[in-house]
Amino acid sequence: MSSLDMGRRALILLGVSALLAGLLAGPVGAKNDDGGGAANSAVVPLQILAINDFHGNIDSASTSFGGTGGADFLAANIRAREAGVRNSIVVSAGDLIGASPLVSALFHDEPTIEAMNLIGLDINGVGNHEFDEGPAELLRMANGGSHPVDGDQDGDSFLGADFEFLAASVVVDETGNTLFPAYTVKNYQGVRVAFIGLPLEGTPTIVTPSGVAGLTFLDEVETVNALVPRLQARNIEAIVVLLHEGGSSDGGQNDCGTGLTGPVAEISAALDDEVDLVIAGHTNDEFVCQIGNKWVTMADTAGRLFTDIDVTLNRVTKDMTVQAIENVANLRSGVQAAPDLRGLIDKYTVLSAPLANQVIGTISAPISRTAGLNGESALGDVIADAQLAATSSPATGNAVVAFMNPGGIRADLLTAGPVTYGEAFAVQPFGNSLVTMTLTGAHIDTLLEQQFDNPGAGQMRVLQVSDGFTYTWDASEPTGAKVDSATIMIDGVVVDPAASYRVTVNSFLAEGGDNFFILTQGTDRLGGEVDLDALVTYFGANSPIDPGPQNRITRVD
């Protein structure tokens, strides 16, 4: 990792070690934004601690990275890193909330906001999932207040976030202003650092359209680059971007392998060279990469890792120099969980337990959401079957096929035997309702073609399909001609392009989510139950449930 491999805290401070020693001899504390102290020092050290894609996992444990996860351990591990550090800031690169486990989601993610207040989060650059319940609810997360429907479910007033939300590229159409401030500036002993936060431009294509109604999402590069001259006019040269857009590397936890690919790599390369650091999210990878003069980091998901970044700020030039970066495991072993966070988690665990622990059925073996080469997963088959069962009767829609978006399947069912409501909720946490509509056979053909080059060239979002629906696609054919229309069948009968068919999808897809725009043309719509309720009913009627066969979609190359 080039000069970063010289080790944690090995700060190369212009070769003047005596000046650094004098600085560190001064008083220590937590965060220092008052611009005072150490006036004779040439440089100012700053620690930036970062998370991304936390998704409300306040009480989730993982075997990844040696056993990690949980807000109580995250607090303990972050506090240990902050101990004795004069200047430190904790930031998030989006998806702090949304697609959350039941212990947070049941209370509209208020527990996660309260947990982050205790941890000491300073800034959250919004991601796409912050918009799952719409801008009004997101503003409530920031500002506090009772939920408009459920009120104060825990019996206490919700006071909102103690940290800042940033959304540089999200414009309210009615006013022309950004939904949240574009950036915030922190002053560290006379050197000001700007933090810009923004989600991916494509947020409207992956969030229920009603969740982003009245908002415009601007280009990430154009947004940031337009802000740089404004910041420089204020004598600000140190710039950090909290960007909820992703990519991947084939490297390990703390390197970049053969390089970074994907949108965040392209965006970072195009950002103004005055940007020093990009803290990314969205794709749940982990890497430390350098693109030009910028460092780009990501720390997995769900609080399994956090990034510890040491930088120095030059008091004369006002520039930032990255000295060391480490993706740190949020370990659960050998660590004393933070009691204040544990108390918060226990409170909501007790409140949610009666629902979370309710057994809804059983499975005969683990059922995975991991898709095969054909794009089909065992869990996707089961969910699509549940949605068809919920809408196939004349009273519920007369559906003959159901389609499920793979991005809406958020967890696996890992253990054979009983399945609880909490586990099912983790699989489908969005609360989308089912919608049955009429499509022609030609519409269905177009729907299947829209799976490819989605959301970008060479990518695909293969819809999960219910029992009885089959087709073949050819990966070697061009986009728009990958699906053999003669193979699209319902119960063994080829779909007629001119005939009409009743089709079930969730409300996210029905509004054109994930770029499946053809579904907006569906007619004679009938609303149904919530998707999770359909799954619960299906388990109750059909347990034990076997893993789906993954044989409904055929791929040829």
Side-chain angles (χ1 to χ4, degrees):
M1 198 166 51
S2 70
S3 63
L4 300 186
D5 288 333
M6 297 183 68
R8 301 292 302 160
R9 316 299 176 205
L11 305 179
I12 305 172
L13 303 178
L14 308 176
V16 190
S17 58
L19 290 174
L20 175 59
L23 173 63
L24 296 181
V28 297
K31 298 172 179 60
N32 178 6
D33 296 339
D34 61 5
N40 294 323
S41 298
V43 293
V44 176
L46 170 64
Q47 176 190 67
I48 302 171
L49 302 173
I51 60 172
N52 57 270
D53 299 275
F54 187 74
H55 288 296
N57 281 275
I58 61 173
D59 197 30
S60 298
S62 168
T63 57
S64 301
F65 310 107
T68 54
D72 47 347
F73 291 96
L74 184 62
N77 285 309
I78 282 180
R79 289 167 185 173
R81 287 276 165 159
E82 289 183 307
V85 176
R86 182 185 181 91
N87 301 313
S88 181
I89 187 168
V90 185
V91 301
S92 162
D95 281 8
L96 190 66
I97 57 175
S100 304
L102 185 68
V103 69
S104 181
L106 184 62
F107 306 97
H108 301 282
D109 275 324
E110 292 176 14
T112 296
I113 300 299
E114 293 171 352
M116 289 299 152
N117 288 344
L118 292 175
I119 287 172
L121 184 66
D122 294 287
I123 304 168
N124 178 48
V126 299
N128 54 284
H129 278 286
E130 268 84 1
F131 294 92
D132 284 347
E133 295 190 42
E137 175 65 2
L138 179 52
L139 288 167
R140 189 181 76 87
M141 291 289 98
N143 302 322
S146 302
H147 188 272
V149 175
D150 295 329
D152 295 315
Q153 294 170 279
D154 63 351
D156 298 325
S157 298
F158 175 59
L159 302 179
D162 293 339
F163 49 91
E164 298 178 80
F165 285 79
L166 301 179
S169 61
V170 184
V171 176
V172 180
D173 296 338
E174 185 177 357
T175 65
N177 299 323
T178 54
L179 182 66
F180 291 106
Y183 62 88
T184 187
V185 176
K186 303 296 183 181
N187 188 326
Y188 298 99
Q189 297 165 229
V191 184
R192 290 184 291 175
V193 180
F195 294 84
I196 302 171
L198 67 168
L200 68 157
E201 182 184 9
T203 294
T205 69
I206 54 176
V207 172
T208 301
S210 58
V212 292
L215 302 175
T216 295
F217 289 73
L218 304 177
D219 179 87
E220 304 96 334
V221 173
E222 293 177 2
T223 298
V224 173
N225 288 353
L227 290 172
V228 170
R230 293 169 52 184
L231 295 170
Q232 289 183 304
R234 298 178 57 186
N235 200 26
I236 298 170
E237 300 291 340
I239 301 173
V240 178
V241 175
L242 308 175
L243 173 62
H244 192 77
E245 177 59 288
S248 61
S249 82
D250 57 4
Q253 181 174 327
N254 282 305
D255 59 69
C256 201
T258 59
L260 182 61
T261 61
V264 74
E266 299 166 7
I267 291 169
S268 297
L271 291 177
D272 193 298
D273 285 342
E274 294 302 318
V275 173
D276 300 291
L277 176 64
V278 177
I279 298 170
H282 191 51
T283 50
N284 303 343
D285 199 0
E286 60 279 343
F287 50 75
V288 177
C289 297
Q290 189 171 19
I291 297 179
N293 68 327
K294 308 176 190 76
W295 287 97
V296 187
T297 72
M298 188 182 294
D300 199 70
T301 184
R304 297 169 188 159
L305 300 176
F306 63 95
T307 310
D308 189 341
I309 307 164
D310 287 336
V311 306
T312 52
L313 308 172
N314 189 296
R315 293 175 62 87
V316 177
T317 67
K318 310 302 182 184
D319 288 326
M320 172 185 288
T321 302
V322 174
Q323 302 291 354
I325 302 177
E326 180 185 6
N327 277 327
V328 183
N330 177 29
L331 292 174
R332 298 173 63 89
S333 62
V335 179
Q336 178 66 48
D340 52 345
L341 271 297
R342 190 64 251 171
L344 176 79
I345 295 166
D346 288 346
K347 167 188 170 181
Y348 286 108
T349 299
V350 169
L351 290 172
S352 62
L355 180 60
N357 296 332
Q358 180 182 332
V359 174
I360 65 167
T362 61
I363 56 176
S364 62
I367 308 180
S368 172
R369 60 182 169 143
T370 301
L373 291 177
N374 63 348
E376 187 178 352
S377 74
L379 189 51
D381 287 352
V382 171
I383 291 172
D385 288 349
Q387 295 182 357
L388 179 62
T391 56
S392 59
S393 73
T396 57
N398 266 329
V400 295
V401 59
F403 298 100
M404 175 64 193
N405 56 307
I409 307 173
R410 305 301 295 191
D412 303 309
L413 295 175
L414 296 173
T415 306
V419 175
T420 66
Y421 184 90
E423 291 171 321
F425 187 95
V427 172
Q428 289 191 273
F430 293 111
N432 289 314
S433 59
L434 299 182
V435 179
T436 303
M437 63 180 69
T438 297
L439 296 179
T440 66
H443 285 148
I444 293 174
D445 190 4
T446 299
L447 174 68
L448 298 179
E449 295 290 359
Q450 287 182 346
Q451 297 174 124
F452 307 104
D453 282 352
N454 183 350
Q459 297 174 283
M460 61 184 187
R461 290 181 173 138
V462 176
L463 296 168
Q464 308 302 290
V465 299
S466 56
D467 187 27
F469 186 88
T470 57
Y471 70 95
T472 298
W473 67 278
D474 189 336
S476 67
E477 293 295 329
T479 300
K482 290 186 182 294
V483 177
D484 181 355
S485 58
T487 67
I488 305 174
M489 298 184 184
I490 297 177
D491 295 330
V493 179
V494 175
V495 168
D496 182 350
S500 295
Y501 301 89
R502 295 291 283 169
V503 172
T504 293
V505 295
N506 60 41
S507 52
F508 168 73
L509 285 173
E511 295 183 42
D514 276 352
N515 293 331
F516 291 104
F517 302 118
I518 192 66
L519 291 172
T520 64
Q521 298 182 28
T523 59
D524 299 323
R525 295 177 176 236
L526 178 65
E529 63 184 328
V530 172
D531 52 7
L532 176 59
D533 292 343
L535 186 64
V536 170
T537 299
Y538 185 78
F539 267 72
N542 296 282
S543 288
I545 304 292
D546 296 325
Q550 297 179 263
N551 62 359
R552 300 165 187 178
I553 302 171
T554 301
R555 170 177 170 167
V556 296
D557 294 315

